[in-house]
């Protein structure tokens, strides 16, 4: 990448979205992990891994039960979407050797969180879109950690996956130098101009969370690196990574204009039978935001496996 492009790309992007958060936030490398306070005794732990240009608020309304301990990742060089909490440096943090803004780097954040934070034995790791790839990469890096863990991969980036034809058509003509310009253009356009096309039918929560997508990262370079690394990861990772998943669910949308649904399904079908594939009727890539009904209940957790 040309130095002049890098300079343009590292100009900071201001944070544009946050919500009140009650809990603790730990800095891990250039990312973070937030642990929400829960009012009941925790019966299960959910670790949420957000997708490209999203933030951890994606999961907060899907897991509101007072007995759920919710642990939320903020990927490297993304803004932490919380108000009123000062991030602290945990004593369990270990330096990460991968390049920031990559699936490999964020997988290390996930593994550090998972090794140190859950207080229950019933653990689910739920990743949306790019977050699905982060989970699979984390399992590849540290398979033993996932022996009794349930995995939910929602509209995930998978081995041999592809971007949708629509997204590919938008990205193809874009050179590095054009990114800042393109993002300014998108940010100045009303989201209704492109929202329906990519995001499907809108609802209040989708509007709230998807209206500020291009302000999720701290700079434009992270956006470019995320995309390039994501495409390379899909190409170089093969389906053998699925053999390390003990049990879990693929949630596939009925319509996906962000990722190629057929490639996603073909990849999911290469997984062992311990992974179930649920083809939802969700009208977009954002299954959980379309309807919480698609999020699997905890009664499906094979608790006997923990005994």
């Amino acid at each position: 990448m040309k130095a002049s492009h890098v300079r343009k790309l590292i100009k900071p992007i201001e944070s544009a979205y946050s919500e009140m958060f009650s809990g603790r936030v730990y800095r891990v490398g250039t990312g973070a992990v937030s642990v929400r306070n829960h009012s009941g005794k925790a019966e299960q732990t959910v670790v949420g891994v957000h997708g490209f240009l999203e933030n951890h608020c994606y999961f907060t309304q899907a897991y509101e039960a007072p007995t759920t301990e919710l642990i939320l990742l903020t990927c490297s060089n993304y803004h932490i979407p919380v108000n009123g909490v000062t991030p602290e440096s945990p004593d369990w943090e270990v330096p990460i050797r991968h390049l920031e803004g990559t699936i490999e780097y964020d997988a290390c954040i996930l593994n550090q969180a998972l090794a140190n934070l859950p207080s229950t034995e019933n653990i689910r790791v739920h990743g949306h879109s790019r977050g699905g790839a982060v989970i699979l990469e984390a399992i590849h890096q540290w398979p033993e950690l996932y022996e009794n863990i349930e995995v939910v991969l929602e509209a995930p980036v998978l081995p041999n996956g592809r971007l949708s034809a629509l997204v590919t058509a938008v990205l193809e003509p874009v050179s590095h130098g054009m990114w800042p310009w393109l993002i300014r253009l998108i940010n100045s356009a009303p989201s209704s101009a492109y929202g329906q096309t990519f995001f499907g039918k809108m609802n209040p929560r989708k509007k709230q969370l998807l209206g500020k997508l291009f302000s999720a990262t701290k700079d434009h370079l992270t956006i470019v690196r995320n995309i390039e690394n994501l495409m390379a990861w899909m190409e170089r990772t093969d389906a053998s990574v699925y053999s390390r998943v003990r049990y879990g669910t693929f949630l596939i949308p009925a319509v996906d204009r962000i990722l190629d649904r057929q490639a996603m399904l073909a990849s999911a079908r290469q997984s062992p039978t311990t992974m179930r594939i649920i083809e939802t009727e969700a009208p977009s890539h954002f299954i959980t935001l379309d309807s919480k009904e698609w999020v699997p209940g905890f009664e499906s957790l094979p608790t006997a496996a923990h005994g």
Side-chain angles (χ1 to χ4, degrees), residues 32-273:
V33 183
S34 307
V35 184
R36 187 181 69 188
N37 290 337
H38 46 92
S39 52
K41 183 184 184 311
E43 287 169 15
Q44 61 270 327
T45 301
V46 176
V47 183
V49 188
H50 67 80
F52 173 56
L53 297 185
E54 295 171 5
N55 65 54
H56 80 207
C57 301
Y58 188 88
F59 299 101
T60 49
Q61 292 192 358
Y63 293 108
E64 288 183 306
T67 52
T68 297
E69 173 179 56
L70 189 60
I71 298 173
L72 298 161
L73 241 67
T74 291
C75 291
S76 49
N77 295 332
Y78 274 64
H79 291 294
I80 308 170
V82 300
N83 296 335
V85 183
T86 307
E88 48 192 291
S89 295
D91 51 12
W92 43 260
E93 184 192 359
V94 180
I96 297 172
R97 291 179 176 75
H98 295 283
L99 185 65
E100 292 165 19
T102 61
I103 287 166
E104 292 79 1
Y105 188 103
D106 296 335
C108 292
I109 301 177
L110 171 58
N111 283 342
Q112 291 189 42
L114 203 51
N116 293 287
L117 291 171
S119 68
T120 79
E121 293 292 306
N122 288 335
I123 303 171
R124 163 182 293 176
V125 184
H126 180 161
H128 176 244
S129 197
R130 178 180 180 272
V134 170
I135 292 171
L136 290 172
E137 178 62 32
I139 294 171
H140 171 69
Q141 288 180 13
W142 192 348
E144 304 74 36
L145 194 56
Y146 289 82
E147 273 179 9
N148 288 320
I149 284 179
E150 182 212 16
V151 169
V152 175
L153 303 175
E154 175 190 342
V157 166
L158 296 176
N160 313 313
R162 283 194 303 270
L163 301 175
S164 75
L166 198 60
V167 171
T168 306
V170 171
L171 291 182
E172 250 161 4
V174 179
S175 68
H176 289 305
M178 285 166 71
W179 267 103
W181 175 85
L182 179 73
I183 288 161
R184 273 201 298 277
L185 181 73
I186 292 169
N187 279 343
S188 63
S191 58
S192 55
Y194 55 85
Q196 265 333 82
T197 311
F198 291 100
F199 307 153
K201 193 169 178 303
M202 295 306 269
N203 60 39
R205 187 65 174 159
K206 276 172 95 168
K207 274 201 184 105
Q208 208 179 8
L209 289 182
L210 303 180
K212 298 278 188 257
L213 280 184
F214 286 93
S215 323
T217 61
K218 293 181 177 176
D219 54 41
H220 295 103
L221 184 62
T222 303
I223 297 178
V224 177
R225 195 174 277 164
N226 270 191
I227 289 176
E228 291 184 343
N229 166 256
L230 186 128
M231 290 164 83
W233 186 91
M234 289 194 288
E235 219 165 278
R236 69 168 172 261
T237 311
D238 64 53
S240 63
V241 66
Y242 295 137
S243 65
R244 311 306 299 250
V245 181
R246 183 55 64 90
Y247 37 80
T249 307
F250 293 97
L251 292 177
I252 312 284
V255 177
D256 197 323
R257 296 211 174 102
I258 307 286
L259 295 174
D260 183 308
R261 184 182 181 277
Q262 290 320 113
M264 188 191 292
L265 209 45
S267 180
R269 285 181 178 141
Q270 293 179 57
S271 69
T273 50

